[in-house]
Amino acid sequence: MTSRRIPIPPELVKILRQHLGKFGVAPDGRLFRSERGGVVASTAYTEVWQEARALALTPAQVASPLARRPYDLRHAAVSLWLNGGVPAPEVAARAGHGVDVLLRVYAKCIDGQEEIVNQRIADVLTA
């Protein structure tokens, strides 16, 4: 198993510390585990995810593709970071991608930055 450092917001640190205080970690260091201490089965994870969607979203949203899979949240986060102007190497590091993979997968998600980019280019040329 490989690991990497990922900065997270203080609110998430607090939640994770509470979880660790209550549940600890599995013998192999995993944060989440089954009731018997094993790997959480994808079917169990999917069932809980669908229940959470039903609680958190409106009926129309539940019927839509919005956050249909947990991976969709990862995709949304990476797209949000890129559209927010976070440099591609930083987004790639946080997502666990190489920059080449990141741009191949997510370049189509970058939108609405033409004016900002044009201004940045103009600023560099006039500096």
Side-chain angles (χ1 to χ4, degrees):
M1 176 176 18
T2 62
S3 64
R4 64 183 186 277
R5 292 179 150 238
I6 303 294
I8 59 174
E11 298 84 7
L12 182 54
V13 171
K14 182 179 177 182
I15 292 167
L16 290 174
R17 284 187 176 147
Q18 288 171 345
H19 179 86
L20 286 170
K22 185 173 183 177
F23 300 104
V25 296
D28 65 359
R30 279 179 293 110
L31 182 59
F32 302 106
R33 59 191 178 276
S34 69
E35 291 176 352
R36 294 186 182 135
V39 175
V40 177
S42 62
T43 53
Y45 194 85
T46 299
E47 184 179 312
V48 171
W49 183 257
Q50 295 308 322
E51 290 175 18
R53 281 183 83 239
L55 291 170
L57 303 175
T58 67
Q61 290 170 327
V62 171
S64 79
L66 178 66
R68 183 159 289 152
R69 306 164 299 162
Y71 182 80
D72 296 333
L73 296 180
R74 172 186 163 86
H75 183 76
V78 170
S79 299
L80 177 71
W81 297 338
L82 287 169
N83 278 299
V86 178
E90 181 63 22
V91 173
R94 290 177 183 229
H97 291 305
V99 175
D100 58 332
V101 171
L102 176 88
L103 294 177
R104 186 173 61 249
V105 173
Y106 291 96
K108 63 185 174 288
C109 299
I110 301 172
D111 187 37
Q113 295 189 14
E114 185 176 358
E115 193 173 312
I116 294 168
V117 170
N118 287 344
Q119 186 59 54
R120 286 182 183 165
I121 292 169
D123 291 347
V124 169
L125 293 173
T126 59

